[in-house]
Amino acid sequence: VQLQASGGGLVQAGGSLRLSCVVSGRFFSVEAVGWYRQAPGNERELVATITSDDNTNYADSVKGRFTISSVPAKVTVTLQMNSLKPEDTAVYYCNARVVHHSYIKDYWGKGTLVTVSS
């Protein structure tokens, strides 16, 4: 299973970026997909997730500004980030909880850098 993320970059405060992640490979289904981020010196933290039945969960710090969405089967997930703040600067990682026939496993993408300038 591979996760390919794209869409990071440099943006001014107040601007927008869209991150995308494609889940590919051999598996039965995707239970949930999401985005996490890690700023320098900080631990990796949840940004937003969406489950196979379209339940979403957001970090309090991004509620009302970020929107997570995905296509059916959750093989592509998008994070629309609006009203970006300098504190959103981090490496963003795509995560997928993948169901195989006999086990469930979390997979991570390589990360994409988002830099928000003040």
Side-chain angles (χ1 to χ4, degrees):
V1 175
Q2 292 184 327
L3 278 64
Q4 183 65 49
S6 61
L10 173 64
V11 65
Q12 289 188 332
S16 298
L17 281 175
R18 178 178 293 182
L19 304 183
S20 293
C21 178
V22 177
V23 183
S24 62
R26 297 172 64 88
F27 50 86
F28 182 70
S29 66
V30 178
E31 188 172 270
V33 289
W35 291 93
Y36 293 71
R37 67 186 181 188
Q38 187 167 17
N42 290 355
E43 294 185 351
R44 190 174 297 186
E45 62 178 6
L46 177 146
V47 176
T49 60
I50 184 167
T51 66
S52 57
D53 53 358
D54 289 331
N55 287 320
T56 57
N57 183 40
Y58 294 92
D60 288 341
S61 60
V62 307
K63 283 181 181 177
R65 300 188 297 121
F66 291 10
T67 302
I68 190 169
S69 60
S70 66
V71 299
K74 301 297 177 287
V75 293
T76 301
V77 58
T78 298
L79 184 69
Q80 178 66 42
M81 305 185 293
N82 298 328
S83 302
L84 282 160
K85 304 175 180 180
E87 51 263 44
D88 294 317
T89 295
V91 177
Y92 284 69
Y93 296 91
C94 178
N95 168 271
R97 178 154 293 180
V98 175
V99 180
H100 297 277
H101 284 282
S102 59
Y103 62 96
I104 297 173
K105 182 176 179 179
D106 281 340
Y107 293 87
W108 294 90
K110 287 187 178 180
T112 184
L113 178 62
V114 172
T115 303
V116 184
S117 63
S118 57

